[in-house]
Amino acid sequence: MKIVVCIKQVPNTDTVKIDPKTNNLVRSNVEGIINSFDRNAIEAALELRQQAGGTITLLSMGPDSYITSLRDGLAMGADSAILLSSRKFGGADTLATAYVLSEAIKKIGDVDLILFGRQSVDADTGQVGPIVAEDLQLPQVTFAESLELQDNNQLTGHRLLDNVVQEVKVKLPAVITVRSEMNSPRYETPLNIQKSFEKEITIWSENELAVDPTQIGQAGSPTVVKRIFSPEKAGRQTQMLPNNAKDAVAQLLADLNN
Amino acid sequence: MNNEIWVFVQLNGQNVEPTSLQLITKARDIAGDRPVVALVAETESMNVEATVKEYGPDKMVILKDDQFHNASDGEIADALDQVVTDLKPNSLLFPATVLGRSVAPRLQAKLKTGLTADCLDIYFDGDDLVQVKPTYGDDIMCEIICPDVRPQMATIRPNTFKAVKAATDTETVNYSFTFHPEANIEVVSETPVINSAANISDAKTVIALGRGANNEKVIAKAEKLAGKLGGMVGVSRPLTDNEGFSHENQIGQSGNTIAPDLLINFGISGAVQYAVGIENAKQIVSINTDAKAPIFDKSDYAFVGDADEFMSALLDQVR
Ligand SMILES: Cc1cc2nc3c(=O)[nH]c(=O)nc-3n(C[C@H](O)[C@H](O)[C@H](O)COP(=O)(O)OP(=O)(O)OC[C@H]3O[C@@H](n4cnc5c(N)ncnc54)[C@H](O)[C@@H]3O)c2cc1C
Ligand SMILES: Nc1ncnc2c1ncn2[C@@H]1O[C@H](COP(=O)(O)O)[C@@H](O)[C@H]1O
């Protein structure tokens, strides 16, 4: 089975700040890591490769610093990695990102399965997977919490919709987006880390892909960020409860009952 | 091109998913003189029109086909593409549910337009639908527009707005389209989740646990307390790594927005990604050992002290 896992690198922090002067996000000095859900996608790929054989290629679009997380993914056990890197790809929203990823997947060729994380923790959209599925005219199982190989060209997945669990059968090739409930990503072993440095990371720019220049980067992105701001939160009138837990609870319950 | 705002009405079995109704109300609030249109895709035997109408859309566009039962994301997106491409709404809103977040981007890809995910607010600035969504980090919101392409698409966080009934003369349009089955995918079954009624978004009382209350003893007490109060236990994100909790229990930006009458936070610092999920709670009580914890600014009652101690006292005194 030929598997591609799309991974994104995200800042390793819960608190990115706004630069008060430029109103841009300050991302420098923050170490990059693999988007956590994408580790679940890599783990799913590793388990499928164990059952069905085949290869796992990691695919990421971003600046050269993304090599860090591709290297990490290789250390988890993926076979090879491709970085889609070019100034022209910069400023892409979900539509333009997915377009470039789709074109790269076409160039890789004969891919059976494309795995994504359920969403990235920074952009937080979960859109890139379904857009790639549409661009490549493939069936999708999004937010999958389980995945079973039926035979070599069919998978059964479960996903939790609002009040129901849906069981979905797909024939390959297909697109799956993976929830963290599906598995626990394995740790990198020293041996695999060492091996990862022998694996090659291929870099493609727009020159290696058959991309339409009007559909990539900022030019290909219909959305525009108008403003980034820190919202003023209407604070609540906070009443302090007594220091002693017993008295505090007594006062709270008396207040709430009124 | 027209100036209509369309709302995709999601169905859960025979019922209307509540966010869709919330979006009809919100669309009416921001519409000015723009017509609000509810877009319904249902099977022949279903008839949610009466329910949808109560919330006052100016028009309902209805797609009927029995194959909508257990339809795939791709099939739904294909049907919506036909009517949207034909009737060209100005804006198109989806609930940011699993279904909405799966179908909307496929439709976006067909229409080659923008889509903003998981918005907490929307408003018009001229003809631009300004879509407000939280983004990475502490207290950061983003305003996103899609200036040159229509429709302007957004998915909107459940329970962000309140659905309000409104009387209007609603025009009904039965739209004829062709259902194209997708070859390589089959929705085999849909099994209702056992305690589906017990969704944390609907709970009247929520006991929320954070990293400062992350031990078995406190968790067990919290379950007991929730039982006594007829409420549910929710968690901040770090606790979703625990065996007993999952994303379904998570409160916040990437979890659930809750709107209980009473919320009690134990050992939660109050990061903005958590705080956006609790703004609609009526009464908020927070327990934290750190008097400077940001959660206290967002609370009606503050107890500076140990989570376990306060929990035990509550268990003793609540009947
Ligand atoms: C894109 C993105 C999305 C996110 N989405 C979410 C989300 O949806 N929901 C969410 O919750 N988080 C989310 N986060 C993470 C969020 O930023 C915080 O990291 C998280 O909410 C912190 O959880 P916490 O308050 O439980 O833990 P901490 O921040 O570690 O706080 C623990 C608190 O417990 C207190 N404490 C310690 N011991 C005790 C004790 N014995 N008794 C009482 N108090 C004690 C401490 O003083 C501290 O204030 C998101 C982050 C990002 C980047
Ligand atoms: N720049 C990127 N390169 C590769 N994969 C990506 C990129 N951005 C997003 N993805 C994938 O798409 C998923 C959803 O991301 P998002 O739509 O940004 O929430 C992620 O979990 C990744 O699997």
Side-chain angles (χ1 to χ4, degrees):
Chain A
M1 193 182 307
K2 197 163 169 185
I3 305 174
V4 168
V5 187
C6 293
I7 69 170
K8 183 177 184 183
Q9 183 162 313
V10 297
N12 182 17
T13 172
D14 284 342
T15 49
V16 176
K17 296 270 184 259
I18 296 186
D19 180 329
K21 287 203 194 85
T22 62
N23 253 346
N24 284 329
L25 299 186
V26 183
R27 292 187 182 226
S28 52
N29 303 326
V30 181
E31 180 203 5
I33 52 166
I34 302 181
N35 176 41
S36 68
F37 295 113
D38 302 352
R39 295 178 70 90
N40 297 103
I42 296 173
E43 177 62 34
L46 293 167
E47 287 170 17
L48 286 170
R49 187 185 61 186
Q50 212 159 359
Q51 294 168 46
T55 58
I56 300 169
T57 302
L58 304 176
L59 181 62
S60 193
M61 182 184 97
D64 290 348
S65 61
Y66 274 36
I67 286 189
T68 313
S69 50
L70 287 171
R71 195 68 76 192
D72 271 352
L74 291 172
M76 279 179 74
D79 300 290
S80 61
I82 301 171
L83 178 67
L84 308 171
S85 175
S86 161
R87 266 175 197 285
K88 297 241 166 68
F89 297 155
D93 68 5
T94 54
L95 191 69
T97 302
Y99 171 68
V100 175
L101 293 174
S102 302
E103 290 303 318
I105 292 163
K106 284 185 200 164
K107 183 177 164 90
I108 294 169
D110 299 322
V111 174
D112 298 301
L113 184 63
I114 308 152
L115 296 170
F116 292 83
R118 61 169 277 172
Q119 67 204 64
S120 60
V121 299
D122 54 353
D124 218 0
T125 85
Q127 286 165 201
V128 170
I131 301 172
V132 167
E134 182 61 38
D135 284 348
L136 298 175
Q137 290 293 296
L138 295 178
Q140 71 184 32
V141 183
T142 52
F143 297 88
E145 53 187 17
S146 80
L147 208 54
E148 280 155 52
L149 191 63
Q150 296 305 330
D151 51 61
N152 258 336
N153 75 3
Q154 188 157 304
L155 288 171
T156 298
H158 287 90
R159 65 172 184 168
L160 184 63
L161 295 181
D162 300 287
N163 289 318
V164 295
V165 175
Q166 214 179 45
E167 182 179 321
V168 187
K169 255 192 208 152
V170 273
K171 287 219 179 73
L172 303 182
V175 166
I176 312 283
T177 80
V178 174
R179 289 177 67 132
S180 56
E181 283 80 359
M182 189 185 286
N183 55 40
S184 310
R186 67 194 60 185
Y187 290 103
E188 298 157 11
T189 61
L191 180 66
N192 274 338
I193 293 173
Q194 199 184 341
K195 274 204 217 149
S196 77
F197 284 94
E198 291 154 21
K199 294 175 189 166
E200 201 187 335
I201 297 180
T202 307
I203 297 188
W204 288 344
S205 71
E206 70 279 5
N207 299 323
E208 281 78 25
L209 299 173
V211 289
D212 169 357
T214 66
Q215 290 191 55
I216 62 173
Q218 201 139 30
S221 299
T223 59
V224 174
V225 177
K226 191 179 159 213
R227 188 163 80 101
I228 297 181
F229 65 105
S230 301
E232 293 283 324
K233 287 279 154 53
R236 294 187 186 229
Q237 289 281 0
T238 312
Q239 191 181 330
M240 299 302 293
L241 294 170
N243 288 337
N244 172 297
K246 211 168 139 194
D247 299 344
V249 167
Q251 186 184 324
L252 175 69
L253 293 178
D255 260 34
L256 290 178
N257 287 333
N258 279 329
Chain B
M1 188 70 52
N2 59 49
N3 65 347
E4 292 172 353
I5 310 174
W6 285 26
V7 174
F8 174 71
V9 176
Q10 182 183 332
L11 306 180
N12 283 344
Q14 297 293 316
N15 304 316
V16 177
E17 193 281 325
T19 316
S20 313
L21 302 174
Q22 296 158 13
L23 293 187
I24 292 174
T25 300
K26 180 63 184 177
R28 282 174 51 95
D29 285 349
I30 63 166
D33 55 7
R34 301 171 181 84
V36 173
V37 178
L39 175 59
V40 179
E42 62 181 4
T43 58
E44 301 284 354
S45 62
M46 259 158 64
N47 187 346
V48 297
E49 288 90 316
T51 308
V52 174
K53 222 182 224 172
E54 288 182 69
Y55 293 84
D58 298 292
K59 189 157 78 179
M60 287 187 288
V61 172
I62 302 182
L63 277 56
K64 271 191 184 275
D65 195 301
D66 278 344
Q67 295 171 90
F68 280 125
H69 176 66
N70 286 0
S72 70
D73 300 344
E75 288 164 345
I76 299 171
D78 175 81
L80 300 186
D81 178 38
Q82 294 177 46
V83 60
V84 169
T85 304
D86 183 21
L87 301 182
K88 301 185 173 51
N90 173 285
S91 304
L92 178 53
L93 310 178
F94 283 81
T97 52
V98 168
L99 187 79
R101 294 185 77 160
S102 304
V103 171
R106 277 204 89 124
L107 180 58
Q108 169 201 15
K110 289 174 190 280
L111 300 168
K112 297 261 180 286
T113 187
L115 170 65
T116 303
D118 209 24
C119 298
L120 293 177
D121 198 12
I122 45 172
Y123 65 90
F124 276 100
D125 177 9
D127 191 56
D128 287 331
L129 182 70
V130 182
Q131 303 150 15
V132 187
K133 81 168 301 245
T135 188
Y136 212 117
D138 202 4
D139 272 311
I140 300 178
M141 301 290 273
C142 242
E143 291 192 337
I144 294 177
I145 53 174
C146 180
D148 303 321
V149 191
R150 296 291 179 268
Q152 315 181 68
M153 291 177 67
T155 66
I156 295 171
R157 172 87 53 93
N159 297 327
T160 304
F161 305 110
K162 225 179 134 125
V164 181
K165 290 188 181 173
T168 321
D169 284 329
T170 305
E171 180 194 348
T172 303
V173 176
N174 283 301
Y175 186 82
S176 77
F177 73 107
T178 311
F179 190 100
H180 296 123
E182 204 179 344
N184 292 327
I185 182 163
E186 182 196 350
V187 176
V188 182
S189 66
E190 291 197 335
T191 317
V193 180
I194 315 298
N195 56 357
S196 62
N199 187 320
I200 193 159
S201 317
D202 306 325
K204 289 279 170 246
T205 303
V206 174
I207 312 295
L209 305 177
R211 198 135 54 181
N214 189 11
N215 69 64
E216 277 171 36
K217 215 170 61 186
V218 178
I219 294 171
K221 284 182 190 165
E223 299 282 0
K224 206 159 148 195
L225 185 61
K228 269 188 162 178
L229 296 172
M232 286 188 67
V233 175
V235 295
S236 67
R237 191 164 79 175
L239 272 72
T240 56
D241 292 338
N242 288 17
E243 200 60 52
F245 297 119
S246 75
H247 190 257
E248 304 313 315
N249 312 100
Q250 183 188 321
I251 297 163
Q253 178 184 331
S254 48
N256 297 283
T257 301
I258 59 172
D261 294 335
L262 176 63
L263 165 66
I264 313 182
N265 296 307
F266 289 95
I268 291 177
S269 61
V272 69
Q273 296 89 357
Y274 177 81
V276 293
I278 64 169
E279 277 167 9
N280 299 336
K282 283 211 189 78
Q283 297 274 6
I284 302 181
V285 183
S286 297
I287 294 89
N288 197 304
T289 43
D290 175 6
K292 293 206 187 78
I295 192 71
F296 286 138
D297 299 337
K298 289 139 189 152
S299 306
D300 302 292
Y301 294 94
F303 178 74
V304 181
D306 180 55
D308 190 14
E309 253 178 59
F310 193 87
M311 184 95 73
S312 303
L314 256 179
L315 268 176
D316 281 348
Q317 294 182 46
V318 171
R319 263 169 298 266

